[in-house]
Amino acid sequence: MSRDTVVSTRYAKALFEAASEHGTVEETEQELKAIVEAFAQDADLRNFIATPNVSFEDKRRVIETAFAGKVSQPLVHTITLLIERGRYGIFGELLNSYTAIVSRTLKVVDAFVYTPYPLDEREEAEVTARFGQLSGKRIRVQNIVDKTLLGGLKVVIGDMLYDGSLSGKLNRLEKSFQRQAQ
């Protein structure tokens, strides 16, 4: 395990405990994801944070102003603490560690749902209910549009693939015909 992973896990645990006390565990996860994306997409922000000539107080003030009212105070505190300690490069690892803790603790798993079109709310709720019952865990749907699918859907939960796509059904039908012909 790399040093960054160890450090990010420690910070993720502390953030999880603070978010638990505030009852905002899942909201904090979404907020952290947004912050990681913001840093990934904004080179000016990354350069500003990485510049050694800018004081920590100026960096803290910018972060607090930028995220005020948009993210929880424990998350702002965690981000500013990482910046103060020169660990702004582990934001992505922090998100991974935090997500793993949330998944373990709340028994939430990601279901990657491949469909030929975006799912609407009703369809997503059906997938969540059906695969939640099947897996015995709470499902968090990540819908991925795959234009190569003719119809149906594929669902990947952990290392399990549930192939309800039209092409998957046709492949299984073809294999059954081949077995019968033998």
mmCIF file with all atom_site columns, all heavy atoms in Angstrom, residues 48-49 55-66 76 80 83:
data_model
loop_
_atom_site.group_PDB
_atom_site.id
_atom_site.type_symbol
_atom_site.label_atom_id
_atom_site.label_alt_id
_atom_site.label_comp_id
_atom_site.label_asym_id
_atom_site.label_entity_id
_atom_site.label_seq_id
_atom_site.pdbx_PDB_ins_code
_atom_site.Cartn_x
_atom_site.Cartn_y
_atom_site.Cartn_z
_atom_site.occupancy
_atom_site.B_iso_or_equiv
_atom_site.pdbx_formal_charge
_atom_site.auth_seq_id
_atom_site.auth_comp_id
_atom_site.auth_asym_id
_atom_site.auth_atom_id
_atom_site.pdbx_PDB_model_num
ATOM 1   N N   . PHE A 1 48 ? -2.569  27.516 -8.467 1.00 0.00 ? 48 PHE A N   1
ATOM 2   C CA  . PHE A 1 48 ? -2.663  28.438 -7.332 1.00 0.00 ? 48 PHE A CA  1
ATOM 3   C C   . PHE A 1 48 ? -2.344  27.708 -6.028 1.00 0.00 ? 48 PHE A C   1
ATOM 4   O O   . PHE A 1 48 ? -1.565  28.195 -5.211 1.00 0.00 ? 48 PHE A O   1
ATOM 5   C CB  . PHE A 1 48 ? -4.061  29.061 -7.278 1.00 0.00 ? 48 PHE A CB  1
ATOM 6   C CG  . PHE A 1 48 ? -4.281  29.924 -6.067 1.00 0.00 ? 48 PHE A CG  1
ATOM 7   C CD1 . PHE A 1 48 ? -3.731  31.190 -5.985 1.00 0.00 ? 48 PHE A CD1 1
ATOM 8   C CD2 . PHE A 1 48 ? -5.047  29.456 -5.000 1.00 0.00 ? 48 PHE A CD2 1
ATOM 9   C CE1 . PHE A 1 48 ? -3.933  31.984 -4.863 1.00 0.00 ? 48 PHE A CE1 1
ATOM 10  C CE2 . PHE A 1 48 ? -5.252  30.244 -3.889 1.00 0.00 ? 48 PHE A CE2 1
ATOM 11  C CZ  . PHE A 1 48 ? -4.693  31.513 -3.815 1.00 0.00 ? 48 PHE A CZ  1
ATOM 12  N N   . ILE A 1 49 ? -2.944  26.538 -5.845 1.00 0.00 ? 49 ILE A N   1
ATOM 13  C CA  . ILE A 1 49 ? -2.737  25.769 -4.611 1.00 0.00 ? 49 ILE A CA  1
ATOM 14  C C   . ILE A 1 49 ? -1.293  25.283 -4.510 1.00 0.00 ? 49 ILE A C   1
ATOM 15  O O   . ILE A 1 49 ? -0.717  25.233 -3.423 1.00 0.00 ? 49 ILE A O   1
ATOM 16  C CB  . ILE A 1 49 ? -3.727  24.583 -4.532 1.00 0.00 ? 49 ILE A CB  1
ATOM 17  C CG1 . ILE A 1 49 ? -5.175  25.088 -4.442 1.00 0.00 ? 49 ILE A CG1 1
ATOM 18  C CG2 . ILE A 1 49 ? -3.393  23.639 -3.393 1.00 0.00 ? 49 ILE A CG2 1
ATOM 19  C CD1 . ILE A 1 49 ? -5.461  26.002 -3.271 1.00 0.00 ? 49 ILE A CD1 1
ATOM 20  N N   . SER A 1 55 ? 0.659   32.424 0.308  1.00 0.00 ? 55 SER A N   1
ATOM 21  C CA  . SER A 1 55 ? 0.567   31.995 1.708  1.00 0.00 ? 55 SER A CA  1
ATOM 22  C C   . SER A 1 55 ? -0.599  31.023 1.901  1.00 0.00 ? 55 SER A C   1
ATOM 23  O O   . SER A 1 55 ? -1.578  31.049 1.140  1.00 0.00 ? 55 SER A O   1
ATOM 24  C CB  . SER A 1 55 ? 0.367   33.201 2.625  1.00 0.00 ? 55 SER A CB  1
ATOM 25  O OG  . SER A 1 55 ? -0.952  33.710 2.479  1.00 0.00 ? 55 SER A OG  1
ATOM 26  N N   . PHE A 1 56 ? -0.485  30.205 2.934  1.00 0.00 ? 56 PHE A N   1
ATOM 27  C CA  . PHE A 1 56 ? -1.567  29.273 3.237  1.00 0.00 ? 56 PHE A CA  1
ATOM 28  C C   . PHE A 1 56 ? -2.847  30.026 3.545  1.00 0.00 ? 56 PHE A C   1
ATOM 29  O O   . PHE A 1 56 ? -3.933  29.610 3.159  1.00 0.00 ? 56 PHE A O   1
ATOM 30  C CB  . PHE A 1 56 ? -1.202  28.348 4.411  1.00 0.00 ? 56 PHE A CB  1
ATOM 31  C CG  . PHE A 1 56 ? -2.394  27.608 4.930  1.00 0.00 ? 56 PHE A CG  1
ATOM 32  C CD1 . PHE A 1 56 ? -2.989  26.599 4.183  1.00 0.00 ? 56 PHE A CD1 1
ATOM 33  C CD2 . PHE A 1 56 ? -2.968  27.946 6.154  1.00 0.00 ? 56 PHE A CD2 1
ATOM 34  C CE1 . PHE A 1 56 ? -4.120  25.946 4.635  1.00 0.00 ? 56 PHE A CE1 1
ATOM 35  C CE2 . PHE A 1 56 ? -4.099  27.293 6.618  1.00 0.00 ? 56 PHE A CE2 1
ATOM 36  C CZ  . PHE A 1 56 ? -4.673  26.290 5.853  1.00 0.00 ? 56 PHE A CZ  1
ATOM 37  N N   . GLU A 1 57 ? -2.740  31.156 4.234  1.00 0.00 ? 57 GLU A N   1
ATOM 38  C CA  . GLU A 1 57 ? -3.928  31.946 4.579  1.00 0.00 ? 57 GLU A CA  1
ATOM 39  C C   . GLU A 1 57 ? -4.680  32.383 3.324  1.00 0.00 ? 57 GLU A C   1
ATOM 40  O O   . GLU A 1 57 ? -5.903  32.341 3.279  1.00 0.00 ? 57 GLU A O   1
ATOM 41  C CB  . GLU A 1 57 ? -3.568  33.147 5.448  1.00 0.00 ? 57 GLU A CB  1
ATOM 42  C CG  . GLU A 1 57 ? -3.361  32.804 6.898  1.00 0.00 ? 57 GLU A CG  1
ATOM 43  C CD  . GLU A 1 57 ? -4.548  32.063 7.504  1.00 0.00 ? 57 GLU A CD  1
ATOM 44  O OE1 . GLU A 1 57 ? -5.708  32.507 7.342  1.00 0.00 ? 57 GLU A OE1 1
ATOM 45  O OE2 . GLU A 1 57 ? -4.323  31.017 8.139  1.00 0.00 ? 57 GLU A OE2 1
ATOM 46  N N   . ASP A 1 58 ? -3.943  32.792 2.290  1.00 0.00 ? 58 ASP A N   1
ATOM 47  C CA  . ASP A 1 58 ? -4.588  33.183 1.029  1.00 0.00 ? 58 ASP A CA  1
ATOM 48  C C   . ASP A 1 58 ? -5.251  31.972 0.371  1.00 0.00 ? 58 ASP A C   1
ATOM 49  O O   . ASP A 1 58 ? -6.366  32.067 -0.150 1.00 0.00 ? 58 ASP A O   1
ATOM 50  C CB  . ASP A 1 58 ? -3.580  33.805 0.065  1.00 0.00 ? 58 ASP A CB  1
ATOM 51  C CG  . ASP A 1 58 ? -3.123  35.198 0.510  1.00 0.00 ? 58 ASP A CG  1
ATOM 52  O OD1 . ASP A 1 58 ? -3.835  35.824 1.334  1.00 0.00 ? 58 ASP A OD1 1
ATOM 53  O OD2 . ASP A 1 58 ? -2.057  35.645 0.037  1.00 0.00 ? 58 ASP A OD2 1
ATOM 54  N N   . LYS A 1 59 ? -4.577  30.850 0.420  1.00 0.00 ? 59 LYS A N   1
ATOM 55  C CA  . LYS A 1 59 ? -5.139  29.626 -0.160 1.00 0.00 ? 59 LYS A CA  1
ATOM 56  C C   . LYS A 1 59 ? -6.397  29.213 0.600  1.00 0.00 ? 59 LYS A C   1
ATOM 57  O O   . LYS A 1 59 ? -7.416  28.867 -0.003 1.00 0.00 ? 59 LYS A O   1
ATOM 58  C CB  . LYS A 1 59 ? -4.109  28.491 -0.123 1.00 0.00 ? 59 LYS A CB  1
ATOM 59  C CG  . LYS A 1 59 ? -2.930  28.720 -1.041 1.00 0.00 ? 59 LYS A CG  1
ATOM 60  C CD  . LYS A 1 59 ? -1.883  27.625 -0.874 1.00 0.00 ? 59 LYS A CD  1
ATOM 61  C CE  . LYS A 1 59 ? -0.644  27.934 -1.696 1.00 0.00 ? 59 LYS A CE  1
ATOM 62  N NZ  . LYS A 1 59 ? 0.402   26.907 -1.542 1.00 0.00 ? 59 LYS A NZ  1
ATOM 63  N N   . ARG A 1 60 ? -6.327  29.262 1.917  1.00 0.00 ? 60 ARG A N   1
ATOM 64  C CA  . ARG A 1 60 ? -7.478  28.904 2.744  1.00 0.00 ? 60 ARG A CA  1
ATOM 65  C C   . ARG A 1 60 ? -8.652  29.810 2.454  1.00 0.00 ? 60 ARG A C   1
ATOM 66  O O   . ARG A 1 60 ? -9.783  29.369 2.288  1.00 0.00 ? 60 ARG A O   1
ATOM 67  C CB  . ARG A 1 60 ? -7.109  28.972 4.233  1.00 0.00 ? 60 ARG A CB  1
ATOM 68  C CG  . ARG A 1 60 ? -8.248  28.510 5.167  1.00 0.00 ? 60 ARG A CG  1
ATOM 69  C CD  . ARG A 1 60 ? -7.939  28.764 6.631  1.00 0.00 ? 60 ARG A CD  1
ATOM 70  N NE  . ARG A 1 60 ? -7.617  30.147 6.940  1.00 0.00 ? 60 ARG A NE  1
ATOM 71  C CZ  . ARG A 1 60 ? -8.502  31.141 6.986  1.00 0.00 ? 60 ARG A CZ  1
ATOM 72  N NH1 . ARG A 1 60 ? -9.768  30.926 6.742  1.00 0.00 ? 60 ARG A NH1 1
ATOM 73  N NH2 . ARG A 1 60 ? -8.103  32.369 7.287  1.00 0.00 ? 60 ARG A NH2 1
ATOM 74  N N   . ARG A 1 61 ? -8.368  31.092 2.346  1.00 0.00 ? 61 ARG A N   1
ATOM 75  C CA  . ARG A 1 61 ? -9.429  32.078 2.089  1.00 0.00 ? 61 ARG A CA  1
ATOM 76  C C   . ARG A 1 61 ? -10.105 31.808 0.736  1.00 0.00 ? 61 ARG A C   1
ATOM 77  O O   . ARG A 1 61 ? -11.325 31.838 0.630  1.00 0.00 ? 61 ARG A O   1
ATOM 78  C CB  . ARG A 1 61 ? -8.844  33.493 2.129  1.00 0.00 ? 61 ARG A CB  1
ATOM 79  C CG  . ARG A 1 61 ? -9.828  34.552 2.452  1.00 0.00 ? 61 ARG A CG  1
ATOM 80  C CD  . ARG A 1 61 ? -9.247  35.953 2.652  1.00 0.00 ? 61 ARG A CD  1
ATOM 81  N NE  . ARG A 1 61 ? -7.824  36.151 2.399  1.00 0.00 ? 61 ARG A NE  1
ATOM 82  C CZ  . ARG A 1 61 ? -6.868  36.174 3.354  1.00 0.00 ? 61 ARG A CZ  1
ATOM 83  N NH1 . ARG A 1 61 ? -7.188  36.006 4.616  1.00 0.00 ? 61 ARG A NH1 1
ATOM 84  N NH2 . ARG A 1 61 ? -5.615  36.377 3.024  1.00 0.00 ? 61 ARG A NH2 1
ATOM 85  N N   . VAL A 1 62 ? -9.320  31.491 -0.276 1.00 0.00 ? 62 VAL A N   1
ATOM 86  C CA  . VAL A 1 62 ? -9.874  31.188 -1.607 1.00 0.00 ? 62 VAL A CA  1
ATOM 87  C C   . VAL A 1 62 ? -10.727 29.926 -1.557 1.00 0.00 ? 62 VAL A C   1
ATOM 88  O O   . VAL A 1 62 ? -11.839 29.896 -2.094 1.00 0.00 ? 62 VAL A O   1
ATOM 89  C CB  . VAL A 1 62 ? -8.746  31.055 -2.657 1.00 0.00 ? 62 VAL A CB  1
ATOM 90  C CG1 . VAL A 1 62 ? -9.252  30.416 -3.941 1.00 0.00 ? 62 VAL A CG1 1
ATOM 91  C CG2 . VAL A 1 62 ? -8.132  32.418 -2.943 1.00 0.00 ? 62 VAL A CG2 1
ATOM 92  N N   . ILE A 1 63 ? -10.231 28.891 -0.909 1.00 0.00 ? 63 ILE A N   1
ATOM 93  C CA  . ILE A 1 63 ? -10.980 27.624 -0.814 1.00 0.00 ? 63 ILE A CA  1
ATOM 94  C C   . ILE A 1 63 ? -12.282 27.844 -0.051 1.00 0.00 ? 63 ILE A C   1
ATOM 95  O O   . ILE A 1 63 ? -13.348 27.408 -0.489 1.00 0.00 ? 63 ILE A O   1
ATOM 96  C CB  . ILE A 1 63 ? -10.134 26.523 -0.130 1.00 0.00 ? 63 ILE A CB  1
ATOM 97  C CG1 . ILE A 1 63 ? -8.950  26.143 -1.015 1.00 0.00 ? 63 ILE A CG1 1
ATOM 98  C CG2 . ILE A 1 63 ? -10.966 25.309 0.209  1.00 0.00 ? 63 ILE A CG2 1
ATOM 99  C CD1 . ILE A 1 63 ? -9.313  25.580 -2.364 1.00 0.00 ? 63 ILE A CD1 1
ATOM 100 N N   . GLU A 1 64 ? -12.200 28.502 1.086  1.00 0.00 ? 64 GLU A N   1
ATOM 101 C CA  . GLU A 1 64 ? -13.409 28.729 1.883  1.00 0.00 ? 64 GLU A CA  1
ATOM 102 C C   . GLU A 1 64 ? -14.420 29.588 1.133  1.00 0.00 ? 64 GLU A C   1
ATOM 103 O O   . GLU A 1 64 ? -15.621 29.338 1.208  1.00 0.00 ? 64 GLU A O   1
ATOM 104 C CB  . GLU A 1 64 ? -13.048 29.345 3.237  1.00 0.00 ? 64 GLU A CB  1
ATOM 105 C CG  . GLU A 1 64 ? -12.394 28.345 4.157  1.00 0.00 ? 64 GLU A CG  1
ATOM 106 C CD  . GLU A 1 64 ? -11.990 28.914 5.518  1.00 0.00 ? 64 GLU A CD  1
ATOM 107 O OE1 . GLU A 1 64 ? -12.112 30.147 5.725  1.00 0.00 ? 64 GLU A OE1 1
ATOM 108 O OE2 . GLU A 1 64 ? -11.554 28.116 6.355  1.00 0.00 ? 64 GLU A OE2 1
ATOM 109 N N   . THR A 1 65 ? -13.948 30.582 0.394  1.00 0.00 ? 65 THR A N   1
ATOM 110 C CA  . THR A 1 65 ? -14.851 31.435 -0.388 1.00 0.00 ? 65 THR A CA  1
ATOM 111 C C   . THR A 1 65 ? -15.459 30.645 -1.548 1.00 0.00 ? 65 THR A C   1
ATOM 112 O O   . THR A 1 65 ? -16.664 30.732 -1.807 1.00 0.00 ? 65 THR A O   1
ATOM 113 C CB  . THR A 1 65 ? -14.103 32.670 -0.926 1.00 0.00 ? 65 THR A CB  1
ATOM 114 O OG1 . THR A 1 65 ? -13.548 33.389 0.174  1.00 0.00 ? 65 THR A OG1 1
ATOM 115 C CG2 . THR A 1 65 ? -15.027 33.573 -1.719 1.00 0.00 ? 65 THR A CG2 1
ATOM 116 N N   . ALA A 1 66 ? -14.643 29.874 -2.230 1.00 0.00 ? 66 ALA A N   1
ATOM 117 C CA  . ALA A 1 66 ? -15.109 29.127 -3.406 1.00 0.00 ? 66 ALA A CA  1
ATOM 118 C C   . ALA A 1 66 ? -16.148 28.077 -3.036 1.00 0.00 ? 66 ALA A C   1
ATOM 119 O O   . ALA A 1 66 ? -17.096 27.842 -3.796 1.00 0.00 ? 66 ALA A O   1
ATOM 120 C CB  . ALA A 1 66 ? -13.926 28.469 -4.108 1.00 0.00 ? 66 ALA A CB  1
ATOM 121 N N   . VAL A 1 76 ? -14.625 21.140 3.942  1.00 0.00 ? 76 VAL A N   1
ATOM 122 C CA  . VAL A 1 76 ? -13.771 22.311 3.716  1.00 0.00 ? 76 VAL A CA  1
ATOM 123 C C   . VAL A 1 76 ? -12.566 22.244 4.642  1.00 0.00 ? 76 VAL A C   1
ATOM 124 O O   . VAL A 1 76 ? -11.428 22.492 4.220  1.00 0.00 ? 76 VAL A O   1
ATOM 125 C CB  . VAL A 1 76 ? -14.555 23.628 3.938  1.00 0.00 ? 76 VAL A CB  1
ATOM 126 C CG1 . VAL A 1 76 ? -13.619 24.830 3.939  1.00 0.00 ? 76 VAL A CG1 1
ATOM 127 C CG2 . VAL A 1 76 ? -15.624 23.801 2.871  1.00 0.00 ? 76 VAL A CG2 1
ATOM 128 N N   . THR A 1 80 ? -8.697  22.062 3.355  1.00 0.00 ? 80 THR A N   1
ATOM 129 C CA  . THR A 1 80 ? -7.715  23.083 3.748  1.00 0.00 ? 80 THR A CA  1
ATOM 130 C C   . THR A 1 80 ? -6.577  22.481 4.567  1.00 0.00 ? 80 THR A C   1
ATOM 131 O O   . THR A 1 80 ? -5.435  22.906 4.432  1.00 0.00 ? 80 THR A O   1
ATOM 132 C CB  . THR A 1 80 ? -8.378  24.249 4.523  1.00 0.00 ? 80 THR A CB  1
ATOM 133 O OG1 . THR A 1 80 ? -9.067  23.741 5.653  1.00 0.00 ? 80 THR A OG1 1
ATOM 134 C CG2 . THR A 1 80 ? -9.316  25.028 3.629  1.00 0.00 ? 80 THR A CG2 1
ATOM 135 N N   . ILE A 1 83 ? -4.223  20.890 2.141  1.00 0.00 ? 83 ILE A N   1
ATOM 136 C CA  . ILE A 1 83 ? -3.460  21.926 1.446  1.00 0.00 ? 83 ILE A CA  1
ATOM 137 C C   . ILE A 1 83 ? -2.376  22.480 2.357  1.00 0.00 ? 83 ILE A C   1
ATOM 138 O O   . ILE A 1 83 ? -1.227  22.654 1.943  1.00 0.00 ? 83 ILE A O   1
ATOM 139 C CB  . ILE A 1 83 ? -4.401  23.049 0.940  1.00 0.00 ? 83 ILE A CB  1
ATOM 140 C CG1 . ILE A 1 83 ? -5.277  22.505 -0.196 1.00 0.00 ? 83 ILE A CG1 1
ATOM 141 C CG2 . ILE A 1 83 ? -3.606  24.274 0.490  1.00 0.00 ? 83 ILE A CG2 1
ATOM 142 C CD1 . ILE A 1 83 ? -6.410  23.414 -0.586 1.00 0.00 ? 83 ILE A CD1 1
#
